Each structure stands twice: as structure tokens, then as C-alpha cells.
Amino acid sequence: MESARRAEIAHGGTYALMYSGNDTSAAGSYSYNRVFDVHLPLTAGTTLSYWIYPQSANGTYVAIDLALTDGRSLRDSGAVDQFGVRAHPQFQGDGRRLVVNQWNLVQVNLAGLAGGTVDQLRVGYDQPGGTGTFRGYIDDIQIVNAAL
């Protein structure tokens, strides 16, 4: 999988983060690309939101993942989006909520990771049994600590 800033399609502004790849394993594939190094403390009121524009059904098996300094990750936390779908790339694809060739908003409450510190923001692809190419865009990524 590759990911890079592109000016081809954007939700807000001029650029978006393009992701693409070719899944050649019918037994299962995954890839996680680090796109930002950060240092963001999480509280019980922290939320993650982003817009995703998958360009194929395989492109819906993508999600933003957060790696924390204590070894935890968003993908393994059990956190869910606004539709109750786990914030893990495989479950985002299986959840069938992301519409192809359209911007889709994903919002995740990060209360379960409170007390941790985000070290890396990653784009993750994870599909257990599909093959073929995938591509899409992610834009307007926000991690917000709301006042309690």
C-alpha cells in the first residue's frame, strides 16, 4: 500500500491523502502506513473524525488507526464509529456503511483510550479474504479534546 498527499480530489481545501494498493492474497492482507508522528494526549472527551472517499469496494477496508505510546492502538481497542461499526479497517469494510465514490464522515469516540498518548497516525488496510486493487482518499482528519 502507498499513501501520499494529492491535489486530485479533496473534501476541504486543496489536498487529500490518497491511499492505494494491490491485494494479491486471498488468505488475508493488511498494511498500516505511518502518515504522521504526533504527541496527542487523550481524555474521556476525545474524538477522532475524518472523511473517506473509497473508489472501490476494496477501498472501504481502510480506516485511520492511532498508535499509542503505551502499545495500544485504535484498531484493537474495540472503539466504534457513529454507526456502531468497529474502528478497524476490516470491520469498516464489512460494516457496509462506506459508500464508494462519495465522501463519508467517520466519527469515533476515543474515551476507551483515555489516559494514553497518540504517537502515530496511520492509514490501515485490512481485508481477510479479498483480492484486487484498492484506492481512495482521506481528508480533514481531526482529533479533538472536548471540554468535560
Side-chain angles (χ1 to χ4, degrees), residues 101-133:
N101 292 321
Q102 175 179 309
W103 283 107
N104 301 266
L105 177 62
V106 176
Q107 298 172 308
V108 181
N109 182 324
L110 301 176
L113 296 170
T117 301
V118 179
D119 184 49
Q120 295 179 356
L121 190 141
R122 301 172 177 168
V123 174
Y125 168 83
D126 198 327
Q127 187 170 193
T131 61
T133 60

Side-chain angles (χ1 to χ4, degrees), residues 42-52 62-66 73-89 92 98 104-113 141-146:
L42 302 176
T43 69
T46 305
T47 57
L48 164 69
S49 67
Y50 60 93
W51 289 86
I52 184 166
V62 171
I64 292 295
D65 186 29
L66 306 175
S73 67
L74 175 58
R75 73 174 178 261
D76 295 328
S77 71
V80 298
D81 68 13
Q82 73 270 31
F83 301 111
V85 178
R86 278 193 50 199
H88 182 290
Q92 286 293 298
L98 300 178
N104 301 266
L105 177 62
V106 176
Q107 298 172 308
V108 181
N109 182 324
L110 301 176
L113 296 170
I141 303 166
Q142 294 186 41
I143 299 174
V144 177
N145 285 320

